[in-house]
Amino acid sequence: MKVGRVTAKAVLGYDIINKKLVLNEKESQIVKFIFETYNKTKNYYQTAKICNNKGYKGKKGNEFHASSIKTIIQNQIYCGFNNFHDTEGKKGTHKQIISKALYNKVNNIQEVA
């Protein structure tokens, strides 16, 4: 992580090639949609429902659930940082999918019922 190498397994929006995260254009559009939709709905369940209604699937081809949306929303990898367990994220060498500003905004949202 300290030298910018990937610390993740398969993650939506990226492929791992030669131990590096490489942007997957099709999946990255789903990730953007998830962040933008959650920013509007402020609800993990509703965001998952909207994604599923559009026919979007996760990395392994599964439907989205509130828990999978929450995992995506809270993952700093999407704004260009690598994570390793509970350590502070370090700037990665991969291309970011969303801005740090959007990441911070959605992670400060109070979930609505």
Side-chain angles (χ1 to χ4, degrees):
M1 178 184 85
K2 291 180 182 178
V3 294
R5 287 197 196 127
V6 65
T7 57
K9 293 184 180 178
V11 60
L12 185 67
Y14 297 98
D15 296 318
I16 298 175
I17 300 173
N18 297 324
K19 298 182 182 180
K20 293 184 180 181
L21 288 174
V22 177
L23 194 68
N24 178 311
E25 289 294 334
K26 183 179 177 184
E27 292 178 0
S28 70
Q29 295 305 311
I30 297 170
V31 171
K32 285 180 188 176
F33 182 81
I34 289 169
F35 275 86
E36 291 166 358
T37 303
Y38 182 72
N39 190 37
K40 292 175 189 171
T41 66
K42 299 173 179 30
N43 184 281
Y44 298 124
Y45 173 79
Q46 286 298 322
T47 301
K49 185 176 176 182
I50 292 167
C51 288
N52 293 333
N53 287 342
K54 287 187 132 323
Y56 293 155
K57 303 285 185 193
K59 189 76 171 175
K60 296 178 183 176
N62 299 323
E63 287 192 338
F64 289 99
H65 300 279
S67 61
S68 54
I69 296 297
K70 182 177 181 180
T71 298
I72 290 168
I73 293 296
Q74 293 179 343
N75 194 339
Q76 292 184 57
I77 210 157
Y78 296 117
C79 63
F81 289 80
N82 284 333
N83 297 325
F84 189 72
H85 299 290
D86 290 331
T87 62
E88 182 179 334
K90 301 286 183 193
K91 185 71 175 150
T93 57
H94 61 283
K95 188 172 182 180
Q96 68 187 55
I97 295 176
I98 59 150
S99 68
K100 182 71 171 168
L102 179 57
Y103 174 84
N104 287 337
K105 184 176 184 179
V106 298
N107 277 280
N108 286 315
I109 289 175
Q110 295 295 319
E111 178 82 2
V112 295

